[in-house]
Amino acid sequence: MLKARIAVLVSGGGTNLQALIDAEKSGIIKSGEIRLVVANNSRAYALTRAELAGIPAECIIKKECGSQEAFENRLIELLDSNGIELIVLAGFMSILSEKFTGHYKNRIINIHPSLIPSFCGKGFYGLHVHEAALEYGVKVTGATVHFVNEIPDGGKIIMQKAVDILPDDTPETLQKRVMEQAEWIILPKATELLSAEIIKSREKS
Ligand code: GRF
């Protein structure tokens, strides 16, 4: 069986990338294979994680490309020349255009650190998401894996996991708990689910 070819797009620390690498090693991801890591920031520690795992990694910097369109064209070229079938956004801090998301319809997924449709969309990234949840006073938050379309955090939901908010939580403690109890679990699970579907759809065609 030829595994689904996965690319993971990153910008930062890459703990979700690490969860995917570990899940492939442990067999939680068995239908897909991480073939490529792409960062839009040369200082992303995720690049080191890729290197340590022996996964080819590339860096494409928007500023150097000159425009969003040129940046996305280089990205498409890289992904297509590697035969990538599933794109996982794991802390990728760049909004992608309709042209890009349309090119990979239902083939791009993202992890967001809240229960969508709460605390999502423009401006809700990183610690801001957890600050907003604490400020609102919700007692339960979590993480969501969803398909990516032209609307930020607006694509169909694939998987969610709830996490309790504790009375003494700060944005930092909440961020850590959401990662440990939700993100690092559902992102690999959703990646396996989609990889298995890609293999099945190959068999049909
Ligand atoms: C995570 O909280 C993820 O939900 C969000 O960006 C963060 C990335 O963290 N989209 P890391 O780079 O995977 O450690």
Side-chain angles (χ1 to χ4, degrees):
M1 176 193 70
L2 207 55
K3 294 187 177 190
R5 292 181 292 270
I6 301 167
V8 185
L9 272 50
V10 293
S11 301
T15 61
N16 279 288
L17 168 66
Q18 193 64 54
L20 292 165
I21 292 169
D22 295 346
E24 194 183 323
K25 260 193 212 133
S26 70
I28 292 171
I29 298 177
K30 53 181 190 298
S31 310
E33 189 183 358
I34 306 169
R35 295 283 280 260
L36 181 67
V37 169
V38 187
N40 66 346
N41 161 16
S42 57
R43 291 180 309 276
Y45 184 69
L47 287 170
T48 306
R49 293 183 192 271
E51 196 185 321
L52 290 172
I55 302 166
E58 298 272 349
C59 188
I60 305 179
I61 296 164
K62 201 194 307 192
K63 254 196 187 156
E64 289 174 5
C65 298
S67 67
Q68 176 74 18
E69 197 183 2
F71 169 72
E72 289 185 357
N73 285 342
R74 278 203 53 194
L75 205 48
I76 291 175
E77 211 176 271
L78 182 63
L79 296 168
D80 288 354
S81 64
N82 279 277
I84 297 302
E85 298 168 287
L86 177 64
I87 300 164
V88 181
L89 307 187
F92 186 64
M93 304 291 286
S94 181
I95 291 179
L96 297 161
S97 75
E98 190 168 0
K99 186 183 157 213
F100 186 92
T101 56
H103 189 76
Y104 300 106
K105 203 162 186 293
N106 293 332
R107 292 294 171 99
I108 314 176
I109 65 173
N110 179 50
I111 177 84
H112 182 76
S114 76
L115 294 175
I116 291 176
S118 290
F119 313 117
C120 63
K122 213 161 177 257
F124 286 101
Y125 61 89
L127 275 179
H128 299 308
V129 180
H130 306 293
E131 278 161 9
L134 291 175
E135 202 171 305
Y136 209 98
V138 291
K139 303 301 172 215
V140 176
T141 185
T144 303
V145 180
H146 62 93
F147 283 113
V148 174
N149 63 13
E150 68 284 2
I151 304 156
D153 301 324
K156 196 162 184 256
I157 291 171
I158 301 163
M159 220 173 259
Q160 290 188 305
K161 192 166 187 291
V163 173
D164 283 336
I165 292 185
L166 303 181
D168 293 334
D169 265 331
T170 63
E172 289 79 8
T173 58
L174 186 56
Q175 181 181 51
K176 185 166 178 275
R177 188 162 349 92
V178 168
M179 282 180 154
E180 289 170 352
Q181 295 186 3
E183 295 184 43
W184 301 341
I185 298 165
I186 62 172
L187 187 60
K189 272 192 186 168
T191 300
E192 169 55 24
L193 187 80
L194 271 289
S195 299
E197 276 179 17
I198 286 170
I199 292 177
K200 243 197 243 154
S201 71
R202 275 202 218 122
E203 285 163 3
K204 274 188 222 146
S205 59

